[in-house]
Amino acid sequence: MKLLLKNPVIIGYDENFKDFYRSDILIVNDKIEKVYPNIEIHDADIVIDAEKYIAIPGLVNAHTHCGQTVLRSYADDLPFNEWLFDRVFPLESKLNQQIVYYSSLLGIAEMIKSGTTLFFDMYFYEDMTAKAVSETGIRAVLSRGLQTDENEHKRIEETLKLIQDYSSDRIKIFFGPHSIYTCSTELLENVSKLAFDYNTGIMIHVSESENEVNECFERHDCSPVKYLSDLGIFDSPTVAAHCVYVDNDDIDILNRKCVTVAYNPTSNLKLGNGFAPIYSMIQSGINVAIGTDSAASNNNLNMIEEMHIASLLEKGLYKLPNIMNASQILKMATFNGAYASLFENIGLIKEGYKADIVLIDNESLNMMPNFNPISNIVYSANPENIKTVICNGKILYKDGKLTTIDEEGLKKEIKDIMKYLNE
């Protein structure tokens, strides 16, 4: 199939994300075939008049738990340990495969409608999330959450089965040890070896709370970052979520080991976990991407909002209005996350790259005037401005309608799940 986007303003045609220009975009099957002005309409099967739209690479949600979407608003306004151990973990015991499947569909629907084409996920029943990804056309990096208990080896076997059954041009499987406080040293060492043997990546929560860091010093006489590095976790491509409580030595390790940090500003704020020193990380050369975390702690999966908060938070924290500018934030929310995924040729609007593209209405009232469309996306936009979402060359959302998800049917299933969870 040939899909032609006529004359949008293009942002993200190179890694700078500082400039924009108008051109046509010709998509053939799953790839961007040509970015050039005045491509003939008769060369395409489908033509979208994008004159009033901005085209950006698909947004990348670098950290979430899609199967947890049904826990939205269940455990709000609580300290982190109480939220996790007293509320979230107990309710999760009631979840089953069917619930995680529909919860994943709910999360994917929300992400698509707010411009996300790739997400990183860690949860259980991850085969159900993989099924939802396969059916809906979005792209994902998935991991079965691992922890130390009597089912530890079973979870590793589930990860290996995910690699065998679901690895594709839209799905990659990473190993997902939850954290240092749920995983033993032996499990982490095993994960390090397995990730190397299977030539894949790792995602893990790191230094999210003060308690985690203090306990690590008490048990291992070092920080979580140093502990994980010594165990070989960072010898494979790793996405470290949160990294709120890290010092200069930690930042040096993360940089040297080429770890991607998934910055989750809303979740960190809402759970009272503090402020990650993201500006310092970026200055050191660390690849920083942006994630929402789950709807249980955010409470949404809206990357448009997350970009806005990420920029403002750093400016206020460091009292420097010129840092974390709009171009840098947009790159973090697209290219940087794409880079960490290990997928090839995604994250830019460039010939030969995969066609993961979002069209944003540049003439909505909240987007006018448009002196700088890059600034407008980060500081002014909302999901209502998203008009078309394309992933792997397929239109997943257009003019308010999801093309691969029955939205009304999904709402009915979620209402039934709510009744069950409230019993």
Side-chain angles (χ1 to χ4, degrees):
M1 187 193 76
K2 294 183 178 181
L3 170 61
L4 178 59
L5 310 180
K6 286 295 292 181
N7 208 31
V9 173
I10 300 175
I11 301 170
Y13 56 88
D14 62 26
E15 295 179 21
N16 291 321
F17 281 77
K18 294 180 179 178
D19 302 307
F20 49 89
Y21 75 108
R22 283 193 181 274
S23 185
D24 295 346
I25 304 170
L26 178 64
I27 298 166
V28 178
N29 298 323
D30 61 343
K31 291 183 180 178
I32 298 171
E33 179 77 11
K34 189 181 293 186
V35 181
Y36 198 79
N38 302 316
I39 298 173
E40 294 294 332
I41 291 177
H42 61 71
D43 287 339
D45 302 305
I46 300 173
V47 178
I48 295 178
D49 180 2
E51 179 78 24
K52 67 176 185 176
Y53 297 154
I54 306 167
I56 65 170
L59 297 172
V60 178
N61 188 340
H63 179 67
T64 192
H65 310 279
C66 219
Q68 213 175 55
T69 312
V70 291
L71 276 62
R72 193 194 322 261
S73 76
Y74 173 73
D76 289 338
D77 305 322
L78 296 171
F80 176 72
N81 276 17
E82 185 178 347
W83 170 84
L84 183 63
F85 293 103
D86 297 343
R87 297 285 286 172
V88 171
F89 279 171
L91 187 62
E92 283 182 332
S93 65
K94 296 185 70 172
L95 304 188
N96 56 36
Q97 286 183 302
Q98 183 181 34
I99 291 175
V100 170
Y101 169 71
Y102 284 112
S103 180
S104 297
L105 281 181
L106 179 63
I108 289 169
E110 181 182 356
M111 284 191 279
I112 291 173
K113 293 180 76 169
S114 52
T116 292
T117 58
L118 164 63
F119 68 99
F120 289 68
D121 193 84
M122 177 196 293
Y123 212 54
F124 52 86
Y125 298 127
E126 197 70 356
D127 57 327
M128 293 294 98
T129 303
K131 180 174 183 285
V133 170
S134 297
E135 293 172 352
T136 57
I138 199 169
R139 199 181 300 278
V141 180
L142 307 177
S143 65
R144 202 292 179 211
L146 304 175
Q147 65 186 60
T148 297
D149 59 17
E150 67 276 7
N151 294 315
E152 175 181 319
H153 297 293
K154 179 174 178 287
R155 294 189 182 98
I156 290 175
E157 290 300 319
E158 288 177 24
T159 301
L160 299 181
K161 186 167 174 54
L162 284 169
I163 292 173
Q164 176 182 322
D165 293 350
Y166 286 101
S167 297
S168 70
D169 65 339
R170 284 193 295 107
I171 297 177
K172 285 194 179 293
I173 307 300
F174 281 16
F175 285 88
H178 178 270
S179 60
I180 65 166
Y181 54 86
T182 58
C183 296
S184 67
T185 297
E186 292 73 22
L187 175 56
L188 291 169
E189 288 176 333
N190 191 23
V191 166
S192 173
K193 182 178 183 302
L194 286 167
F196 180 82
D197 290 344
Y198 283 86
N199 192 31
T200 189
I202 295 170
M203 62 179 81
I204 182 171
H205 301 83
V206 179
S207 299
E208 184 175 3
S209 69
E210 282 186 294
N211 283 342
E212 175 189 340
V213 176
N214 292 337
E215 288 177 4
C216 190
F217 271 100
E218 290 173 6
R219 294 178 182 178
H220 307 292
D221 196 30
C222 66
S223 72
V225 170
K226 177 70 162 56
Y227 173 62
L228 291 168
S229 181
D230 289 347
L231 294 179
I233 289 294
F234 299 154
D235 292 341
S236 292
T238 302
V239 177
H242 300 291
C243 295
V244 177
Y245 293 94
V246 293
D247 60 20
N248 289 336
D249 290 338
D250 293 331
I251 290 173
D252 181 60
I253 292 171
L254 294 169
N255 183 36
R256 285 190 290 104
K257 291 292 186 176
C258 299
V259 174
T260 290
V261 170
Y263 179 34
N264 304 271
T266 301
S267 177
N268 295 341
L269 289 170
K270 185 167 176 287
L271 292 172
N273 278 332
F275 309 95
I278 295 300
Y279 179 53
S280 297
M281 294 185 202
I282 292 172
Q283 284 185 308
S284 79
I286 292 173
N287 184 57
V288 179
I290 298 175
T292 62
D293 211 341
S294 78
S297 65
N298 187 305
N299 292 28
N300 62 57
L301 307 178
N302 174 6
M303 282 290 293
I304 297 283
E305 178 180 272
E306 209 69 27
M307 284 193 292
H308 192 178
I309 293 173
S311 178
L312 299 187
L313 180 60
E314 294 295 294
K315 295 175 189 296
L317 181 62
Y318 288 93
K319 298 181 181 179
L320 294 172
N322 58 325
I323 67 170
M324 306 292 280
N325 61 56
S327 294
Q328 189 171 40
I329 289 289
L330 186 56
K331 180 182 177 183
M332 290 165 63
T334 53
F335 181 82
N336 288 9
Y339 174 82
S341 72
L342 305 186
F343 285 109
E344 294 183 354
N345 296 329
I346 65 170
L348 296 175
I349 298 179
K350 185 175 180 180
E351 291 178 2
Y353 272 55
K354 294 288 188 179
D356 296 358
I357 298 173
V358 174
L359 298 180
I360 301 172
D361 190 347
N362 201 27
E363 295 186 5
S364 298
L365 292 179
N366 63 302
M367 298 288 281
M368 297 181 72
N370 44 41
F371 297 113
N372 186 333
I374 303 173
S375 291
N376 276 1
I377 290 170
V378 174
Y379 300 127
S380 305
N382 61 57
E384 292 181 1
N385 303 133
I386 305 293
K387 295 304 176 183
T388 303
V389 177
I390 300 163
C391 183
N392 217 42
K394 183 175 183 179
I395 297 174
L396 306 186
Y397 178 73
K398 191 174 188 301
D399 298 330
K401 293 184 179 180
L402 294 163
T403 64
T404 60
I405 298 174
D406 175 4
E407 193 166 345
E408 293 307 312
L410 176 58
K411 289 178 182 177
K412 181 181 181 302
E413 296 290 347
I414 297 302
K415 289 177 181 177
D416 291 341
I417 289 169
M418 286 174 58
K419 292 176 183 177
Y420 165 73
L421 293 178
N422 280 324
E423 290 177 354

